Each structure stands twice: as C-alpha cells, then as structure tokens.
C-alpha cells in the first residue's frame, strides 16, 4: 500500500511538472499542507483514541489507510 501511495505522489509530481507549475512553490506548498494534515490528524487522533480502546484504534487506523489506498487506486 505504501508503494502504491508513493507511486501516486510521483505521478502527481510528474503531472505538475508537465502542466508548468512552479516546482519550488509546489514543493513548498505540498510540504506545508502535508505537515499541517499530519498535525491535525495527530491531535484529532489523540482526542479520539482517549474514548476507544487501543485494540480498536489500530483496527480503525488500518481501515482508514486501506480505504485511502483503494480510493487513490480508483481515482
């Protein structure tokens, strides 16, 4: 799954280069939004996991990443 998501990002970068987007600005914005999304997910996850057991948090996180991979595969 990680390999598939990595290939997706490489293809997105290739498409951005072909479309003539400014590479340094695109790279910076991608980094910025990725870090913000990770921080947001981390804090939301800490609030959410305080209400559920550790067993279910692992299952839910695995399900979310699997759904994301399937979505990215078909879109």
């Amino acid at each position: 799954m990680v390999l598939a998501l990595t290939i997706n990002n490489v293809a997105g970068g290739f498409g951005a280069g072909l479309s003539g987007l400014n590479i340094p600005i695109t790279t910076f914005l991608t980094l910025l939004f990725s870090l913000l999304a990770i921080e947001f997910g981390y804090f939301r996850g800490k609030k959410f996991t305080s209400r559920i057991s550790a067993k279910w948090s692992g299952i839910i996180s695995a399900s979310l990443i699997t759904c994301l991979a399937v979505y990215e595969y078909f879109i």
Side-chain angles (χ1 to χ4, degrees), residues 1 5 8 62-74:
M1 243 184 303
L5 292 173
N8 180 50
S63 299
L64 286 173
I65 196 71
T66 302
C67 290
L68 177 63
V70 170
Y71 172 79
E72 289 291 326
Y73 179 76
F74 289 109

Side-chain angles (χ1 to χ4, degrees), residues 41-53 56-57 60-61 64:
Y42 175 76
F43 289 115
R44 290 296 292 164
K46 281 190 79 116
K47 278 184 130 179
F48 186 69
T49 55
S50 65
R51 291 185 275 161
I52 60 173
S53 69
W56 285 107
S57 64
I60 291 170
S61 63
L64 286 173

Side-chain angles (χ1 to χ4, degrees), residues 30-48:
T30 301
L31 173 67
L32 179 68
F33 287 126
S34 294
L35 291 175
L36 289 173
I38 290 169
E39 286 295 318
F40 177 74
Y42 175 76
F43 289 115
R44 290 296 292 164
K46 281 190 79 116
K47 278 184 130 179
F48 186 69

